[in-house]
Amino acid sequence: MRQLDDAQLYRALRSHDARFDGVFFAGITSTRIYCRPVCRAPAARAENCRFFSTAAAAERRGFRPCLRCRPELAPAPPTEAAHQPGSEASVDAVAALARSAATRIAAGALDSGGIDELAAELGVTARHLRRAVSRELGVTPVELAQTRRLLMAKRLLADSSLPMARVALTSGFRSVRRFNTLFRDRYRLTPGDVRRRALTPVDASDAIVLSLAYRPPYDWTAMLAHLAARATPGVELVTADGAYRRTIQLGGQSGHVTVRASSTRDTHSLRVELSPSLLPVLAPLLARMRRLFDLDADPRAVSSHLRQDATLSALVARRPGLRVAGATDGFELALRAVLGQQVTVRGATTLAGRLTQFAAESVSGAPDGLTHLAITADRLADARASALTTIGLTRARAECIVALARAVASGALPELTGEGTCVDPSSFVRRFVALPGIGQWTADYVTMRALRWPDAFPAGDLGLRKAMGGLTVARLRTASEPWRPWRAYAAQHLWASL
C-alpha cells in the first residue's frame, strides 16, 4: 500500500479486484462503515473514501465493518519481498518485527499473555515492539488484538450457531460483559443484531465451518497433489473428492479438520470444517491453516518477478497460482524433513507412517483413515535411538531425530514451536545445523516450509538440480540469484515441472 496513492487505491476499489483484498480497507465517511476492495456495495465518491492498511486502523478512526463484504474474512496483508539478512536489499528490521508481531497477535498471542511476553518471544523490549507496530500499522498492539477479537466474534456470530457466551470466550474475551460492551461501543450494533443480519443461513450441526480467503489465482489441485505425496499415514490424508483432512493437537486440545475449495465459483476462499473440541484454540488453528496453504501470498507480485527469468517464464505461465505448502507444526515438518534425507518422497512417507505407529498418540472419533495425532517433540525427547532403529531408521538418523526432539522440547529452537514466527532465519539456520545429522538441505527446506521464508532455497535438492538440467549445487545457487526474493516459489515451480 505504501506504493499506492489515494487515486490509485480508489481505482482499485472501483474495480473490485480480488488481488487487492486484504491489502487495504476503505472507510466511507458518509456511512462510517469500512469495506474490503471486493465489496459489491455501490461505490462511494472519492472524496468520501479514506484508506487504511489494517482493519484496526479503520476502527481506530471510528469506522465499523461492513456487513456485506465482511472485512473479518479478508486475507492478511501479503508478505513483502525480503532478502536474507545481510544482503544489500535486506528487509527493514522494524517492518519485519511489526509483521511478525501482527502474525502472532492474529493467532491470539495477546489473549492469554501480555505485551512483555510477546516482546520477549520476538527478542525485543516491549517499548520497541509498541513503537514498531505503531509506526508500521498505525495502531498499538493492544488495538490490533482488540480488533482481532471483535472481528472473530463477528465471524462466529454470522457463521455459526454458537451461544453468545461461547462466541465471546472463543474470540478471546475474558468476560461476556466486556464483549457486549465493546461490541456495542465499537460497532454501534449488538451481537444479536449481527446474528440476525447474517446474509447466509447457518448450519445448526455440531461441526464448525468457516472460510479462509486468499488472493487469486490459487492452484488448489497442485497444492493437494503436493500434500498427498507427503501425507503422514494415520495423521493426514487427501480424499478422492478433493479434500485435505488431518488430526490436530494444539494448546491441550485435539480434534480434526477438513479443508476443501469453496463450492462457489466466484468465492476466493477455502472451506474449513473443524471439530467443536478445537474451538478453544480457534485463532491459532486458523493461523496455522493459513500458513499450511500459503493463503496470505500475493501471487501477482511473485509471478511478475519470476516471469522475468527465461528459465522460469514458461513454468510460471503454466501454473500462475502455485503456492508453497507450509506446515501446521514446525517440529512435525522438521521431523519429516529428517526422515526424507537421502530417500525418495515415498520412502520418507513410509518411514513417517512407521514412526507414527511406533510413537504417536492414537485417537478415536476421527474420519476414516485418521488414527493418530502427529508426534510431538516431548514424546520423542525421551526415546532411545536404538529403539527407533527397529522401524528401519539408520542409527545416525535415529540419533538425529532424538537430538531434534530434545532441542525443540527444551526451547532451544522456539521457531519450531508456537506459531512459527521468525524474524531472522539465518540465526535459526545456525542453531539448527549445529544439531547432529542436520545439513544445509534440511535447514533450507525447514526454513522454506515451517518458517514460511519466501527466499529459502534448498539448492542441494536432487529434484531441483534435475529440473535445472543437472546443475551442481554451486551453479544452481548462482542461477537462483535473479529469483530473489521469491526463491521458495521458484523451487515449487521447478518441483512441479517434474
Side-chain angles (χ1 to χ4, degrees):
M1 182 170 167
R2 290 178 177 178
Q3 291 77 29
L4 301 176
D5 58 30
D6 283 0
Q8 293 169 321
L9 290 170
Y10 184 69
R11 287 197 295 272
L13 179 66
R14 291 291 300 269
S15 71
H16 308 294
D17 193 333
R19 293 174 298 181
F20 289 96
D21 196 10
V23 176
F24 71 90
F25 297 90
I28 313 303
T29 58
S30 57
T31 62
R32 304 307 297 172
I33 289 174
Y34 71 95
C35 300
R36 298 158 66 182
V38 296
C39 189
R40 290 296 174 177
R45 299 173 63 174
E47 58 267 28
N48 291 336
C49 294
R50 303 293 183 268
F51 299 102
F52 306 95
S53 60
T54 66
E59 294 192 7
R60 187 185 201 185
R61 295 287 295 274
F63 295 91
R64 68 173 176 84
C66 176
L67 295 178
R68 175 178 288 191
C69 68
R70 303 183 59 191
E72 68 271 16
L73 300 182
T79 303
E80 295 182 12
H83 289 263
Q84 295 287 3
S87 68
E88 292 181 1
S90 181
V91 66
D92 178 68
V94 174
L97 174 63
R99 287 196 300 274
S100 295
T103 298
R104 291 290 292 114
I105 291 170
L110 297 186
D111 291 348
S112 57
I115 294 293
D116 291 336
E117 290 87 347
L118 178 58
E121 176 187 331
L122 297 175
V124 297
T125 65
R127 180 181 179 184
H128 182 56
L129 179 61
R130 291 189 186 95
R131 185 168 55 242
V133 172
S134 295
R135 192 194 87 172
E136 293 299 314
L137 305 179
V139 292
T140 67
V142 170
E143 289 173 323
L144 203 61
Q146 187 167 267
T147 297
R148 185 207 67 78
R149 295 185 194 109
L150 285 167
L151 290 179
M152 176 65 79
K154 181 175 178 292
R155 182 177 193 172
L156 292 174
L157 289 168
D159 293 342
S160 79
S161 57
L162 290 173
M164 294 294 180
R166 193 81 185 273
V167 168
L169 296 176
T170 299
S171 303
F173 290 95
R174 298 182 183 179
S175 77
V176 177
R177 178 179 295 180
R178 174 62 176 162
F179 161 63
N180 287 325
T181 299
L182 190 59
F183 208 94
R184 286 194 301 268
D185 291 347
R186 182 72 71 86
Y187 292 165
R188 304 183 293 281
L189 295 168
T190 68
D193 291 335
V194 172
R195 176 152 284 173
R196 284 188 293 272
R197 297 185 190 187
L199 299 179
T200 55
V202 174
D203 184 358
S205 66
D206 289 338
I208 308 300
V209 180
L210 300 171
S211 62
L212 296 178
Y214 58 79
R215 297 173 190 84
Y218 192 105
D219 195 334
W220 177 242
T221 301
M223 175 61 75
L224 281 185
H226 186 88
L227 294 175
R230 295 159 180 80
T232 300
V235 175
E236 52 186 340
L237 59 88
V238 173
T239 64
D241 62 347
Y244 171 82
R245 287 180 174 150
R246 68 161 295 135
T247 58
I248 290 287
Q249 185 176 33
L250 180 60
Q253 307 294 321
S254 61
H256 54 86
V257 298
T258 299
V259 184
R260 62 180 77 242
S262 174
S263 58
T264 304
R265 186 172 185 178
D266 295 330
T267 301
H268 305 298
S269 64
L270 300 182
R271 182 178 181 272
V272 180
E273 180 178 328
L274 56 109
S275 49
S277 59
L278 295 172
L279 275 174
V281 291
L282 182 60
L285 172 63
L286 294 182
R288 291 180 187 223
M289 290 296 104
R290 297 200 69 85
R291 290 205 313 276
L292 172 62
F293 295 107
D294 195 16
L295 299 183
D296 296 326
D298 184 348
R300 181 180 59 170
V302 175
S303 296
S304 63
H305 177 74
L306 296 182
R307 275 180 172 174
Q308 299 175 29
D309 184 86
T311 303
L312 297 178
S313 180
L315 300 182
V316 174
R318 190 180 309 153
R319 297 182 181 275
L322 199 64
R323 308 293 175 110
V324 176
T328 57
D329 179 78
F331 173 73
E332 180 184 346
L333 191 281
L335 178 61
R336 169 67 194 220
V338 171
L339 293 174
Q341 292 173 344
Q342 300 178 335
V343 298
T344 63
V345 171
R346 180 176 296 180
T349 298
T350 299
L351 289 174
R354 292 176 184 172
L355 188 57
T356 295
Q357 292 289 333
F358 178 81
E361 180 182 349
S362 60
V363 296
S364 59
D368 291 343
L370 301 181
T371 59
H372 291 77
L373 298 172
I375 303 172
T376 64
D378 289 338
R379 288 183 75 90
L380 281 179
D382 295 329
R384 291 178 300 160
S386 58
L388 298 183
T389 61
T390 61
I391 65 170
L393 295 174
T394 64
R395 179 76 184 201
R397 192 70 42 80
E399 290 175 347
C400 176
I401 287 173
V402 173
L404 170 63
R406 290 174 179 171
V408 173
S410 69
L413 294 171
E415 295 89 346
L416 298 183
T417 60
E419 302 312 311
T421 303
C422 184
V423 177
D424 184 3
S426 61
S427 172
F428 165 78
V429 169
R430 285 194 299 271
R431 286 176 280 117
F432 193 43
V433 298
L435 297 177
I438 299 295
Q440 191 62 45
W441 174 88
T442 306
D444 290 336
Y445 185 76
V446 171
T447 303
M448 173 183 176
R449 290 194 57 189
L451 273 59
R452 307 293 312 137
W453 193 250
D455 200 40
F457 188 71
D461 186 82
L462 293 177
L464 296 181
R465 294 171 59 193
K466 179 181 178 181
M468 288 293 289
L471 291 182
T472 64
V473 175
R475 292 186 64 185
L476 180 55
R477 283 205 181 95
T478 300
S480 73
E481 284 298 311
W483 307 338
R484 287 179 177 269
W486 306 114
R487 293 189 301 172
Y489 292 87
Q492 200 70 44
H493 279 287
L494 291 172
W495 280 324
S497 72
L498 298 175

